[in-house]
Amino acid sequence: MKKIVSIVVMLSFFISSCAAMFHGTKETIHVRSEEADTIFFVNNREIGKGTSGVTSLTKKELKSVVLRAEKSGCNTKSSPIETEFDSVTLLGILLDFGIVSILLIDWGATGAVTKASQTDYLLTPECHKL
């Protein structure tokens, strides 16, 4: 019985990883524009109208997302989300030499090995005013 309890306790440590525990598996991205009546998109999904939009993305999605701001009669502005390595992931080396916590959980399952370089974007469509 003690063996089973010990295994369950050890597995509970391995199921979570450092980056996922400390920084989560999602990012909240804010987009704003200096033009009124702007429509904001993440890929082809609308996330807001007016002068701002907000979305929550899983860390696995970050590398495949393009933010877009559109306004009728104006040139569209877009930007990919820049990502960077989340150094908190390296704490997994202390848990299990990174085998489960970094490779399987942070990198494989949750994508928490990366984070958004920035979470606030200014995308203003270029409108030609006379």
Side-chain angles (χ1 to χ4, degrees):
M1 185 63 165
K2 286 183 181 182
K3 235 180 189 181
I4 293 172
V5 171
S6 297
I7 290 171
V8 169
V9 169
M10 285 177 59
L11 284 176
S12 69
F13 284 113
F14 292 137
I15 291 173
S16 60
S17 63
C18 294
M21 267 192 313
F22 290 111
H23 295 150
T25 59
K26 292 188 173 206
E27 291 274 7
T28 300
I29 306 294
H30 302 268
V31 187
R32 62 184 179 85
S33 171
E34 294 174 342
E35 279 291 329
D37 302 323
T38 299
I39 303 173
F40 300 97
F41 296 90
V42 168
N43 292 339
N44 292 320
R45 181 174 50 94
E46 187 177 314
I47 61 166
K49 289 182 181 177
T51 57
S52 65
V54 177
T55 189
S56 181
L57 301 167
T58 65
K59 293 197 176 183
K60 284 183 116 176
E61 292 176 290
L62 291 176
K63 289 187 179 184
S64 63
V65 167
V66 175
L67 302 172
R68 196 172 74 244
E70 295 181 355
K71 181 177 178 176
S72 181
C74 303
N75 294 332
T76 300
K77 277 290 193 174
S78 62
S79 175
I81 293 180
E82 302 275 332
T83 60
E84 61 188 31
F85 178 72
D86 189 346
S87 59
V88 172
T89 298
L90 296 176
L91 291 174
I93 292 171
L94 301 174
L95 285 177
D96 60 354
F97 302 108
I99 295 168
V100 174
S101 61
I102 295 174
L103 294 177
L104 295 179
I105 298 173
D106 277 350
W107 195 14
T110 65
V113 71
T114 61
K115 63 180 179 177
S117 298
Q118 68 182 59
T119 56
D120 295 308
Y121 288 82
L122 176 62
L123 295 176
T124 301
E126 293 179 18
C127 299
H128 304 288
K129 297 182 181 177
L130 299 173

